[in-house]
Amino acid sequence: MAEGGEPGPPAPADRYTVISADCHAGADLLDYRPYLERAHHEAFDAWAATYVNPYEDLLADSADRNWNSDRRLAELEADGIVAEVVFPNTIPPFFPSAALMAPAPTREEFAQRWAGLRAHNRWLADFCAAAPGRRAGVAQILLNDVEEAVREVHWAKAAGLTGGILLPGTPPGSGLPELHSRTYDPLWAACAELDIPVNHHAGSASPPLGDEPSARAVFMVETTWFSHRALWHLIFGGAFHRHPGLRLVLTEQGSGWIPGVLDMLDYYHGRLVAASTRATATAEAKFGVGLADSMGPPPSETWHTNCSVGASFMRPHEVPLRHRIGLDKIMWGSDYPHDEGTYPYTREGLRAAFAGVAREEVAAMVGGNAARIYGFDLALLNSIAAKAGPTVTEIAHPLEEPPEDATSPVFAKGASLRVW
């Protein structure tokens, strides 16, 4: 679909129009300063003078992929990608580490961090404007002040950040109400009214575990689970029932887990709702009181009406589940410029995942669904894809062996039914 939901022109007959639903960008540290309110300049100078960046990829020669618009367009286009959904990557002003956290700082720190996120959002609006129609920027918010978050949502919509907002996690110890709380209803209402997606990205909801090898291993085991929690919190919390236009996108969390989790959520929904209608005062009946009225339809139905998945570097073992997940729910992503992303081997990654899949199904997953969800204009993108997009014949050819220096999990052993 083209922008506004109208049918766009057909994609090139021999090529795919590829939109990455998961890319990352951000300004170089000092380049955020002009986007800060003047009152924060002195504090920013002091913070920036002592800040030590903990991320190797933001110190490497390739770090400018985050903010060098011309380099980014050239590399993505060479990789077969014509448009991108842009999540944050670099550290915004006044944050101690990751931009994806939802901190509960002091009043002064809270004001500074909001200023830092607003600076990032305003930089992002300019960055997206530098490539009209090819970037859907995702604005950052904090949940500590819902009214402030709603104001930023309205600003983001007016500024043309068509990627919507990034929903922070509420990990244990954050001091924030859980996502199922009605505290956030004004935020859900604003997003539904403005028709902008609520994106929840992996890694943003895990509690701090430490730096020991065991902690890192536990983080890897648990991080996607903590990110998945947003789905059942919003469903059981009734957010979609009260705000039918609300749209949730779960990004870089895999997709193979979705059918099983939906089965599990339907199971608990059925047990609790059924028990609450019986005359017998069982423990489950007490748990289910009011649930049917407050949350509406079963979880699987809500998934298919309100939710989508940003299936970053979709792996071959996930693809056979596409109809159970919902073919119209899946949006492939490259995760550029991260090491786990498919660049510069996106074509090989698409071959590994989608060889043997019907052309119209591949077209939906690698671009059509993202165009619909994020409002990309396919008239524009199809014309670029006619020269830069991977060919249908190319992607249909199975990948026999992954590139030797490829780092994306799509090429990992166990990610494919094929033995590499």
Side-chain angles (χ1 to χ4, degrees), residues 108-402:
E108 180 182 6
E109 290 170 328
F110 175 61
Q112 288 181 337
R113 292 184 189 183
W114 249 121
L117 291 192
R118 285 194 294 268
H120 169 82
N121 293 342
R122 282 140 189 80
W123 172 88
L124 182 61
D126 283 350
F127 186 71
C128 292
R134 300 184 67 176
R135 294 174 180 149
V138 179
Q140 296 187 81
I141 61 169
L142 292 173
L143 295 177
N144 308 59
D145 185 331
V146 176
E147 290 184 3
E148 185 70 24
V150 169
R151 282 192 288 271
E152 193 68 5
V153 166
H154 282 271
W155 176 87
K157 177 70 174 184
L161 291 179
T162 57
I165 63 164
L166 179 63
L167 178 66
T170 56
S174 69
L176 296 170
E178 294 282 7
L179 289 177
H180 62 71
S181 171
R182 292 200 179 201
T183 300
Y184 304 116
D185 264 7
L187 178 61
W188 312 145
C191 291
E193 174 192 350
L194 297 174
D195 191 30
I196 62 174
V198 174
N199 305 277
H200 192 56
H201 194 283
S204 63
S206 300
L209 297 171
D211 295 323
E212 300 85 355
S214 57
R216 294 195 295 271
V218 170
F219 174 84
M220 288 298 295
V221 171
E222 295 182 346
T223 184
T224 52
W225 182 87
F226 275 108
S227 296
H228 298 345
R229 291 175 79 225
L231 176 63
W232 51 82
H233 274 241
L234 268 65
I235 288 177
F236 283 115
F240 301 108
H241 184 51
R242 294 189 298 277
H243 311 285
L246 181 64
R247 294 181 290 146
L248 176 68
V249 180
L250 302 174
T251 299
E252 202 179 336
Q253 304 178 27
S255 61
W257 59 275
I258 293 170
V261 165
L262 292 178
D263 288 345
M264 177 191 70
L265 299 181
D266 279 352
Y267 169 72
Y268 280 111
H269 172 266
R271 279 179 58 182
L272 295 174
V273 169
S276 68
T277 61
R278 298 191 191 104
T280 308
T282 64
E284 286 188 350
K286 295 176 182 178
F287 273 94
V289 169
L291 186 63
D293 292 335
S294 66
M295 69 168 285
S300 60
E301 184 177 330
T302 301
W303 166 265
H304 287 289
T305 56
N306 296 86
C307 305
S308 301
V309 57
S312 309
F313 40 80
M314 195 172 187
R315 282 147 280 202
H317 71 271
E318 298 173 287
V319 177
L321 298 170
R322 61 192 181 279
H323 294 291
R324 292 183 62 196
I325 296 167
L327 190 63
D328 61 333
K329 306 281 105 182
I330 298 169
M331 299 179 290
W332 176 90
S334 72
D335 201 30
Y336 176 94
H338 289 167
D339 287 343
E340 63 267 31
T342 56
Y343 177 82
Y345 299 115
T346 285
R347 289 176 172 82
E348 289 82 356
L350 293 175
R351 287 172 58 195
F354 297 119
V357 177
R359 179 187 183 279
E360 61 273 14
E361 294 187 356
V362 177
M365 291 186 283
V366 303
N369 294 335
R372 185 185 71 254
I373 295 296
Y374 292 106
F376 285 103
D377 181 358
L378 284 177
L380 168 68
L381 300 184
N382 286 344
S383 64
I384 302 169
K387 296 180 179 180
T391 67
V392 173
T393 301
E394 178 184 16
I395 302 307
H397 185 63
L399 185 69
E400 297 301 329
E401 189 173 338

Side-chain angles (χ1 to χ4, degrees), residues 29-34 36-51 93-94 112:
L29 188 67
L30 297 181
D31 288 343
Y32 279 124
R33 192 179 192 273
L36 282 167
E37 299 164 6
R38 188 181 301 275
H40 294 287
H41 282 183
E42 184 177 348
F44 173 79
D45 293 341
W47 172 81
T50 60
Y51 180 76
F94 305 117
Q112 288 181 337

